[in-house]
Structures are given as structure tokens and as C-alpha cells.
Amino acid sequence: MKLTLPRRPSRPHLAERQVVQDLNRSLVLIVDPEALQASVAARIKELTGAGRIVILQLEPEKGVLTPTFTMGVEREAVRGLRLEKRGRLARWLLTNEACLVVPRALGVYEYLDEYEQHLLSSIGVRVCVPLVSLNRLIGLILLGSDGAAWEPDAAQIEVLELLASQAGLALENAYLNREQRDRLRRLDRAERLAVAGQLAAGVAHEIRNPLTAIRSTVQYLLSGCPDTDPKRTLMEGLLSEVDRINGTIDGLLSLTRSRDLEVDEVDLADILDQILILVAVQAQTLGVAIVQEPRDRGLLVRGD
């Protein structure tokens, strides 16, 4: 009886397996999309020797894939790059869920539209790798090299497709995790604004009650004060200050009150005056002196 010993894996096979293992560890440890893309690109370069790597991410609202990471390619070279989600290249990659090796698939290359052909040739793309998650194309990886003879072999393509399937799921999870964090941050901010609004409304009520009494009293005294009495100027100034405080309270409450957009002519000089009122106390606390210089009114713009 002749025993056949299992063949010892070759060095390239061991190296490819190590790349997959390293990537798996990265996928578990990294949750930031940008860091994850950098890790994926580094593993692909290690595996294939690709000198140019561009990762595109799907923008679901717009239905286009746009560059989010580059290695070995100037950002200016891909600025403005857009691939339609329903374009021929994206549809072919999603349908086949396989790498498109451009030099070996000239028929597919000719099937692409003129813009896609120009894009692939302009940045020297030789391999297009789909990033698929739950039967949805969420991104692409474009590979190229400055070397004229560079082209991944069949074994490398097989590992690339394995890496891409794992990377697609990981990137989708990273994007969803970021969206969830942003959603929770917005929710937390909305809740804090709601609490601040309730507090501001309560404080405004407590302030306005004595202000109303002060205003009524000053108006009563003013009604019996002759125009020549020096105290009249002081009382008129007091009424002006009461109105200013009321205006500040209205501005504070408007920050926490949702309302429809009402576009009209807005005087920027008035807005600057309101801003200075809001920051005056903080500036004084910090020892900052605010100096207002006379300026022309009528700086009108359209706004709310």
C-alpha cells in the first residue's frame, strides 16, 4: 500500500492565505470606513503588487459611485470621477460578482459606454473588483500599475474576489455604524435642544413678568413727566433697555422653535447687532472688548 503525503503549500499560496488572515483581523478590529479602506488597499497591494488603487463608494441618494480612497493615484486625477450605479460597468460587475480583468475581456470593455472606457484607460485600470453586500453593489476597487506587464494571475484573482466579498460586508457595516452614530448624535442634539427650549421658555416667562411690570410703571411715570424734565430722557432710555431685553429673549426662543422658512429682505447690520448682544456677556467674561464702529444701514440680502 502506497501512502500519498499531502502536498506542502507553495510559498505564494501561504502568502495569499496570510493576506486573507490579516484582512480578516482588520475587518474585526477596524470600524472606521477610511481606515478600513486603507487596510483593504494595503492588503491588495501586498497580494497583487498593484501600484494604483482607487476605491469608489456608492452614494445611495444620488445613485453614483465616487472615489473615497486612492493609493498611487493623484487625487486630482480622479476628481469629478462618477460612475452610474445603473451604468454598464456597475451592472456587469453586480451580475457576475466577479473581477473584470480588462486585458482578458476586450468584449466586455467594448460593451462599456464611451465614458467608462475613457475612465479605465485614462488612469490605467486593468482590474475592476466589485464590492457587494447582500446582493447590492456598494462600491468598486479599480486596480492598475505603471508596469506594462502587470496583471494578476488566476490564483490572485480568486483571492481578490474572496477579499472583496469580505471587504464589501465589512465596509457596509462600517458605513451603517457611522450612520447610526450620526443619527444618535443628531437625536441627542435634538433632545438637548428640546430641553434647552423648555428651560428657555420657563426662564423667559420668569423674566418677562417683572419686565412687564417695569415697563408699565415707567410708562405711567413717563405719561406725567413734562418734556423738559431731565428725568424723561432717563425713563425713555429705561424703556429702550426693557425692549432690548425682550428682543434678546425672542431671539433666544427662536433658536429652539421650529418654523417654516420665510424668505424676505434681511438687514445684515441688524443681524450683526443681534449677534453682538448674544456674545457680549461671554466676551466680557473672557476679557474681550467689543468695539462697534458706525456703519451704514441698508445692507439688504434675501434670507430668513
Side-chain angles (χ1 to χ4, degrees):
M1 181 176 178
K2 182 178 180 181
L3 296 176
T4 303
L5 296 175
R7 294 182 60 188
R8 185 176 182 180
S10 63
R11 288 186 178 277
H13 182 74
L14 286 172
E16 291 160 3
R17 186 170 63 182
Q18 185 63 45
V19 169
V20 175
Q21 291 174 349
D22 290 345
L23 179 62
N24 282 335
R25 284 194 290 269
S26 298
L27 300 184
V28 172
L29 297 174
I30 303 175
V31 294
D32 179 69
E34 285 73 23
L36 195 55
Q37 290 179 80
S39 179
V40 170
R43 299 293 178 264
I44 290 177
K45 182 174 183 178
E46 181 182 353
L47 170 68
T48 66
R52 299 177 185 172
I53 302 175
V54 179
I55 299 179
L56 294 88
Q57 176 190 345
L58 175 66
E59 296 183 24
E61 301 83 5
K62 300 179 181 179
V64 296
L65 296 122
T66 56
T68 53
F69 179 87
T70 62
M71 178 184 289
V73 178
E74 293 292 335
R75 292 293 296 181
E76 287 296 327
V78 296
R79 187 180 299 278
L81 188 157
R82 297 288 185 275
L83 281 176
E84 295 292 332
K85 174 187 175 182
R86 300 184 180 276
R88 294 186 177 185
L89 177 58
R91 289 207 312 268
W92 188 94
L93 291 170
L94 179 59
T95 301
N96 292 273
E97 291 192 25
C99 295
L100 172 61
V101 185
V102 177
R104 302 180 204 164
L106 295 180
V108 178
Y109 178 79
E110 292 174 357
Y111 159 78
L112 304 179
D113 64 39
E114 185 176 348
Y115 173 78
E116 293 170 338
Q117 291 180 5
H118 172 72
L119 166 67
L120 298 184
S121 62
S122 64
I123 58 177
V125 175
R126 296 182 195 168
V127 181
C128 302
V129 186
L131 293 171
V132 178
S133 175
L134 303 176
N135 298 319
R136 295 183 300 106
L137 186 72
I138 66 163
L140 297 178
I141 304 177
L142 307 179
L143 306 179
S145 176
D146 293 329
W150 178 84
E151 187 178 312
D153 58 32
Q156 290 173 331
I157 291 295
E158 184 178 349
V159 178
L160 263 179
E161 291 173 350
L162 176 61
L163 292 179
S165 65
Q166 296 172 336
L169 289 171
L171 286 168
E172 176 81 340
N173 288 335
Y175 297 142
L176 291 175
N177 185 54
R178 170 179 285 180
E179 289 179 2
Q180 180 68 6
R181 290 201 311 269
D182 292 342
R183 191 177 297 112
L184 290 174
R185 191 178 298 113
R186 289 193 297 270
L187 179 61
D188 178 64
R189 182 173 182 272
E191 290 177 347
R192 285 189 284 110
L193 280 175
V195 172
Q198 295 171 1
L199 179 62
V203 171
H205 178 73
E206 293 299 322
I207 293 176
R208 275 180 167 161
N209 282 339
L211 279 180
T212 301
I214 293 171
R215 196 181 207 301
S216 299
T217 302
V218 173
Q219 283 180 325
Y220 173 76
L221 295 173
L222 193 60
S223 63
C225 185
D227 293 342
T228 57
D229 193 329
K231 296 178 183 177
R232 185 178 184 88
T233 302
L234 295 176
M235 287 186 283
E236 288 175 345
L238 186 57
L239 283 178
S240 177
E241 288 301 302
V242 169
D243 291 339
R244 185 177 68 83
I245 294 173
N246 267 321
T248 301
I249 293 173
D250 286 336
L252 178 62
L253 292 176
S254 70
L255 295 176
T256 57
R257 187 187 304 127
S258 60
R259 58 178 185 153
D260 295 332
L261 183 69
E262 298 177 2
V263 178
D264 199 354
E265 286 191 341
V266 180
D267 193 331
L268 292 181
D270 290 340
I271 292 178
L272 289 174
D273 288 341
Q274 294 176 36
I275 291 172
L276 291 176
I277 291 172
L278 289 174
V279 302
V281 175
Q282 184 181 7
Q284 185 177 6
T285 303
L286 297 174
V288 176
I290 298 177
V291 179
Q292 285 184 260
E293 296 182 356
R295 56 176 176 269
D296 296 333
R297 298 284 160 174
L299 302 174
L300 301 179
V301 296
R302 298 285 294 175
D304 186 340

